[in-house]
Amino acid sequence: MGNLLSALANSSNSLRVFERQLSVVQNNVSHANTPGYVRQVQSLIATPFNPDQGIIGGSQLGPMTSARSDFLEANVQKQRSQHAFFDQKSTDLGKLEYAFVLNSTSGVAASFNNLFQSFSKLSVNPNDSIARQTVLDQAGAVASSFGQAAGGLNTTGADADTEIRDTVTKINDLVSRLRDINQTRRADSRSKTDAGLEATAYSTLEELSTYTSVQTLRQDDGTYSVLLGGQVNALVGTTQYRLRPDFSTAQTGILDAGGNDVSSILNGGKLGALLQLKNQDLPSYRADLNRLAETFADQVNGSLANGLDKSGSAPTTNLFSYDAVLGAAYTMSVTGITPDQIAAASPNAPGGNGNALAIARLDSQPTIDGFTLTQFYGNLSGRVGRDLAGAKDTASTQMDLLTQSQNLRSQATSVSLDDEAAQLIQVQRSYQAASKIIGVLQELTQTMIDIIR
């Protein structure tokens, strides 16, 4: 009778074990498409079995195990951060395409050509008022083209500042979400094995890696420590360390909770791309554009100063003015010079066209770094184009690598409905077998009771 009761207890316990396995399978299927969720497996432990000593054996529930791989998660986060960097860079540089056009109808290069052609036409009839006015009009077009190019750089920089501010806010918000998860884990130790909470945490970490590179350390109590750029503390336990942007200097900075500039460390993700654009790319483009504008204006002004105006006098007014401190390209303008004050004649031939011809030839002279003015601008425009094309190509490559890393993670850790269906059938059959044994044991027990009676 004792052995029958022991066998009945064994089978009843098996039913509870199989019921737990069934609930795990059901939960896996329910979360098959939940972002960040990975397959959970309910492990079983075989207990000792010795009928002679009354040890009934059977199975007990072991720890719940997760298919999550920290290595695969870190790889996905790394690839996502790198893709986000180049995707953001290609988006930002794409805004400059209209500012650095290189064609025969618009932009700085075209305005150069039109101005020097106007001087060439002036040389045909140096005393013609219409030709002289045309020179002034084309000079205004050059100043306007420089202003548009410089304005494009300034606008892109202002947009970058806005995006940097928004990105820092987003980073802080995501870290706050992880801090709340840590608080839940600290408050309830049972949440350490909460697969849904873990899925939320890793989904948040992957989103965070879009904005900057992330390193995560999982602590023994189930909380997450987060380092941005691998060095900057963002979250330790339930303590969050917030970032803040600093626009007080020409170089945009990111300050940590202690007020230290950590911009050079946060060089991944969207934030890294925005900082590189604002602190490196745009200043480099702007410096070359301003140098070109200064050289151009100084060359033309200097050439005009060597000639004689329509009245045969030495000129007293420059054609172009600019503010070198604020930027020659952005501030270039045509002075109040009148058409008659344009010095088309050379000093040895008043009323002639010698100086107009000399200025017209400036377009073909290597006046800056061994290049003509048009060639130098072409090099600058080409550099912007190459940087943009390189960012687009790399973003495409990184997208492929990101997809590959996500597929590897999915194959190793995600829920397979086919596998869960097979597990479900296995649990179902085990459940049916245990139920059958219980039914047989009940009949034997009833028979034993009847015999005793």
Side-chain angles (χ1 to χ4, degrees), residues 243-254:
L243 301 176
R244 59 186 177 89
D246 178 19
F247 304 106
S248 62
T249 64
Q251 291 282 301
T252 298
I254 304 297

Side-chain angles (χ1 to χ4, degrees), residues 64-207:
M64 183 85 71
T65 60
S66 170
R68 190 177 303 282
S69 166
D70 287 338
F71 171 78
L72 293 177
E73 292 289 352
N75 188 42
V76 169
Q77 292 168 13
K78 175 184 176 182
Q79 299 302 337
R80 181 172 289 281
S81 180
Q82 292 178 346
H83 170 260
F85 177 93
F86 288 103
D87 184 61
Q88 181 68 45
K89 187 170 184 178
S90 63
T91 298
D92 292 332
L93 290 179
K95 299 175 183 178
L96 296 178
E97 281 188 301
Y98 77 93
F100 288 91
V101 293
L102 190 61
N103 56 53
S104 60
T105 59
S106 61
V108 173
S111 67
F112 278 167
N113 182 62
N114 293 336
L115 176 63
F116 291 124
Q117 282 188 0
S118 70
F119 273 105
S120 180
K121 292 178 180 179
L122 176 61
S123 68
V124 176
N125 190 356
N127 295 314
D128 183 66
S129 299
I130 296 178
R132 287 174 170 273
Q133 182 61 50
T134 300
V135 169
L136 295 182
D137 293 341
Q138 295 303 330
V142 173
S144 178
S145 295
F146 270 117
Q148 289 175 3
L153 291 174
N154 293 342
T155 299
T156 302
D159 291 344
D161 282 344
T162 299
E163 289 189 77
I164 287 171
R165 186 179 289 106
D166 293 343
T167 298
V168 170
T169 298
K170 186 65 176 180
I171 289 173
N172 287 332
D173 289 345
L174 291 171
V175 175
S176 294
R177 194 185 304 173
L178 292 168
R179 180 203 59 202
D180 294 343
I181 293 174
N182 283 355
Q183 289 175 341
T184 300
R185 293 237 164 128
R186 286 272 179 91
D188 184 359
S189 60
R190 293 173 298 178
S191 65
K192 184 177 179 180
T193 58
D194 187 336
L197 196 62
E198 184 183 71
T200 300
Y202 277 91
S203 178
T204 302
L205 285 168
E206 185 171 344
E207 185 178 357

Side-chain angles (χ1 to χ4, degrees), residues 241-320:
Y241 301 92
R242 292 181 173 272
L243 301 176
R244 59 186 177 89
D246 178 19
F247 304 106
S248 62
T249 64
Q251 291 282 301
T252 298
I254 304 297
L255 306 183
D256 64 10
N260 304 303
D261 191 331
V262 294
S263 307
S264 60
I265 299 173
L266 305 179
N267 52 15
K270 291 186 175 183
L271 181 59
L274 289 166
L275 289 173
Q276 185 182 90
L277 175 79
K278 182 66 189 306
N279 295 336
Q280 299 178 38
D281 296 334
L282 292 181
S284 175
Y285 301 150
R286 187 179 290 111
D288 279 353
L289 187 65
N290 284 331
R291 192 153 64 96
L292 175 62
E294 286 188 30
T295 302
F296 163 77
D298 291 346
Q299 287 284 330
V300 174
N301 287 341
S303 296
L304 287 172
N306 292 329
L308 299 177
D309 61 19
K310 190 175 181 179
S311 66
S313 303
T316 58
T317 305
N318 287 326
L319 178 59
F320 294 106

Side-chain angles (χ1 to χ4, degrees), residues 428-443:
Q428 180 185 16
R429 289 176 177 174
S430 299
Y431 201 97
Q432 290 173 341
S435 299
K436 185 67 175 179
I437 291 176
I438 290 176
V440 172
L441 291 174
Q442 286 178 334
E443 292 179 3

